[in-house]
Amino acid sequence: MSRFRTAILSLPLVIAAPLVAAQETDIKDQISVELNAAETTEDACKLTFMITNGLETPVDKIIYEAVLFDTDGQVDRLTLFDFGTLPPARPRVRQFVVPQTTCEGLGRILFNGANACETGGSASGVCDTGLLPTSRTSIEVLG
């Protein structure tokens, strides 16, 4: 009976391995930015992003200009999200607190472009051309 349990418990690992490989190839040469969670606090909206560098080299600095829209489609504000440094092929989680708004009041986030993007010690355009925005929340994310 213990051999049966071992076989069943290891099954998710066998299934998960191809999924991880597929995710890695999907973001090759791209910067994946996923809005993973949005939580309203007392007087702010806390946005949690998972960002993955699909490039072969580290990103030394990455700051995106973001436009936040309310649920009626009106621009609420422009802001900068500083994602810091990103090693290649390793996801990172970054959180940003947007004051004086609720997450329920946000309808869309537009990554307007990279305010700063450095790879290999110099400026790079890959943060704009390779941006792959997604969302796991009701807030739409565009790039």
Side-chain angles (χ1 to χ4, degrees):
M1 185 169 184
S2 64
R3 284 187 285 187
F4 181 70
R5 281 190 203 158
T6 303
I8 290 179
L9 292 175
S10 64
L11 181 60
L13 297 174
V14 172
I15 293 171
L19 292 176
V20 170
Q23 289 173 347
E24 288 176 3
T25 57
D26 288 344
I27 65 163
K28 182 173 173 33
D29 299 326
Q30 294 181 315
I31 307 269
S32 169
V33 181
E34 173 192 272
L35 177 58
N36 188 272
E39 176 187 359
T40 298
T41 61
E42 288 181 24
D43 61 345
C45 175
K46 181 170 60 173
L47 301 171
T48 303
F49 290 91
M50 186 171 77
I51 184 165
T52 306
N53 173 6
L55 309 174
E56 293 179 3
T57 60
V59 174
D60 303 321
K61 181 179 187 178
I62 183 170
I63 301 172
Y64 281 110
E65 178 184 88
V67 183
L68 307 181
F69 294 86
D70 64 20
T71 54
D72 293 328
Q74 297 285 327
V75 172
D76 178 70
R77 70 190 75 194
L78 273 75
T79 190
L80 297 175
F81 290 148
D82 185 345
F83 287 96
T85 61
L86 302 174
R90 297 204 45 209
R92 292 289 182 252
V93 173
R94 303 288 192 254
Q95 290 184 323
F96 303 98
V97 176
V98 181
Q100 301 171 346
T101 191
T102 64
C103 296
E104 295 78 19
L106 291 178
R108 180 180 303 154
I109 298 172
L110 169 65
F111 284 96
N112 217 21
N115 179 274
C117 179
E118 295 178 11
T119 59
S122 60
S124 174
V126 72
C127 298
D128 283 325
T129 60
L131 177 63
L132 179 63
T134 59
S135 179
R136 288 184 182 261
T137 73
S138 60
I139 302 169
E140 182 181 16
V141 179
L142 307 167

